[in-house]
Amino acid sequence: MTQKLPPVRVRFAPSPTGRTHLGSGRTALYNYLLARQTGGQFLLRIEDTDQKRYVPEAEQELMESLRWLGLEWDEGPDVGGPYGPYRQSDRKEIYMQYAQRLIEKDKAYYCFCSPERLARLREQQMQSKQPTMYDGLCRKLLPEDALRRVKQGEPHVIRFKTPKEGTITVRDYLRGEITVENRTIDDYIIVKSDGWALYHLAAMVDDQLMHITHVLRSSEWLSTFPLHAHIIRAFGWREPVFVHLSVFLKPSGKGKMSKRESAALLQDGYSIFIKDLEKLGYLPEAVVNWIALMGWSYDDKSEFFTMQDLIEKFSLDHLNPSPAAINFTKFDHFNGLHIRHLTIEDLATRIKPFLINVGLKVDDQKLIQITPIIQERLVTLDDAVEMAGFFFRDQLEYDASLLIGKNMSADESLKALAECQQLIANLDFRKKEDLEMSLRALAEQLGVKAGQLFGILRIAVTGQSVSPPLIESMMILGKVRVMESIETAIQRLRLLVKDDQPNL
Ligand code: GLU
C-alpha cells in the first residue's frame, strides 16, 4: 500500500489549439484524482499565449469535455480562485516582470538577431551536421547597450541564458534522475518579439504563483524539462514534483494518431475526441475507466473502476511510463460493463436522446419497461435504436421474404403464423410462462422447431431478425399491437404464397 500524499495543488493546463482528445482527458483525470484523493485542489489554467495557434471554439469544447467526464475544477478562468487570473493571456504583464527579473539576475538576455540571420545559422549548422542551436551572438552584448537598443525600439526577443558548462540533474517521478550536459541545452526564447511569454517561462511562473505542488503533464515536455528546471532554479524557487505521463499510440501500437487516421476512425464508430464519444453512445464512466488504465494499474486483475474507486485507489507509484496503445475493443468492453452497472432509470434517461435523435416518439413508461431487456445487450447507447427502435415505430419495415421460416416454404410459414394468431388471441399477455409454453407446444403440434416458429414470429412482431427476447418484447408491445403486426405479416405472406403458385 503506497502512502497517501498530503493535500496537493495540481493543474491541468491545456492550450486551446484544437479538439480535446483522450490524451488530454487522461492528463486531466490523473490530476483530478490526485486532488480529490488528498483533499487538495485541481486547477484549470488556459495556456493561450500562442495567438497564432489559438482556436476560439477549443476552450468551450475543452470545458464541456472535462465536465462531461465529471472532472470539475476548483479554480479556473470561469470559476475564479485566489491565484487568478487563470488564463495566461490575462497574465502578460506578470510574465514580463519575471523575464525582467531574470535579465537583472543575468540569467536571461535580449536578442536582436533577425529571423533571416537565424535561418542562415540554422542552414549552416544543418549542412555541417551540427546541432541546430542559437550561437549566442547577443549573449555577449553589454547589458546597457542591449537596453539602449530596446529603448530605441529595435525588435527583440528574450532568451534564457543557459549555463554552458557542467550538467544539470532533474528528477522525474517515474523515471528517476536525468542528467544532461548544459552545452546541449539551447538558449531558448522565453519572450517572443510580440512581448508574449512562451510556455517555458509562463508555465514555470504560474506553477510557482499558483502554489502547484505536482506537475502531471505529457512526456512531450521531457526534452525541455532541464530548461524548466534551470528557470525554476534561476529564481531560487521550490520545485514541484514532475510526473511525465506516458504517450498514447495508435491502436496498432506504431506511432501517434494522425489527423487523417482520426477521421477514418470515426467511420468505424470510434474517435479519439472526447466530445465525439458522447455522441457515439459512450458513457463518461466508461471513458474514465478506460483512460485511467492507459498508463496506470491497480493490480493485475481489477479492471472495473468507478470514479469513486479511482479516487480511492489511484497512486502515482503505479503509473507506467511506457507508451500505451489505444485499444477500442477494450473501450467497448468497458462501456458494456458500465451500462450494466447503471440503474434502469438512469440507463433509460441516457438512451432516450438517441431514440429521439432518429425521430422516434418515445413513451417514457414503455422505455422503462424496455430498458431491462436490452441492458445486457448494449455496447453503446445508440445500439438501442437498432435494437429497440421498433417499439416506438407505428409501421414495421422489413423484407417480406424474411417471414419465411428456416427450411420452410412460404405456405408452411403462412399456416404456422395463422395458427399463432389464433393461439395468441386467447393468451394472457401478463403471464410470460404461459405465452412461452403455449407457443412451444404449438411448434411441436405443427411439427416445426420452436426456433423456426419464433423466427417467423420475431420478424412479424419486431420487423427484425435479431431483437430483445421475443416473449418479453411481445408483452411490452401488448396484445393489440402484436395482433395487428401478425395480421399485417399474414397478408404479406399471402402475397408471397400467391407469387409461388405456378401460372396456369
Ligand atoms: N499548455 C501545455 C500543453 O497543452 C501544458 C503542458 C503542461 O501541463 O504543463 O501541452
Side-chain angles (χ1 to χ4, degrees), residues 11 13-15 45 47 199 203 215-217 220-221:
R11 86 296 190 281
S15 304
R45 183 172 77 219
E47 302 205 326
Y199 171 80
V215 171
L216 276 66
R217 63 180 183 179
E220 72 181 276
W221 297 109

Side-chain angles (χ1 to χ4, degrees), residues 35-55:
R36 292 293 168 268
Q37 178 178 84
T38 61
Q41 289 86 37
F42 172 54
L43 281 69
L44 175 64
R45 183 172 77 219
I46 302 293
E47 302 205 326
D48 57 349
T49 56
D50 192 345
Q51 304 288 302
K52 277 201 227 90
R53 293 179 60 218
Y54 182 73
V55 178

Side-chain angles (χ1 to χ4, degrees), residues 90-106:
D90 294 334
R91 299 172 69 82
K92 194 173 180 182
E93 303 311 316
I94 301 178
Y95 307 131
M96 204 38 130
Q97 280 169 26
Y98 281 91
Q100 293 295 345
R101 269 206 222 172
L102 286 178
I103 293 177
E104 284 158 24
K105 285 168 175 277
D106 195 28

Side-chain angles (χ1 to χ4, degrees), residues 22 251 257 261-273 276-277 280 282 290 326-333 379-380:
L22 295 169
M257 192 81 89
E261 285 160 332
S262 313
L265 204 58
L266 211 49
Q267 307 281 319
D268 295 336
Y270 295 120
S271 176
I272 57 163
F273 301 113
D276 290 349
L277 299 178
L280 291 169
Y282 288 95
W290 179 49
I326 304 173
N327 181 340
F328 286 103
T329 313
K330 259 235 119 82
F331 186 26
D332 282 339
H333 168 70
V379 174
T380 50

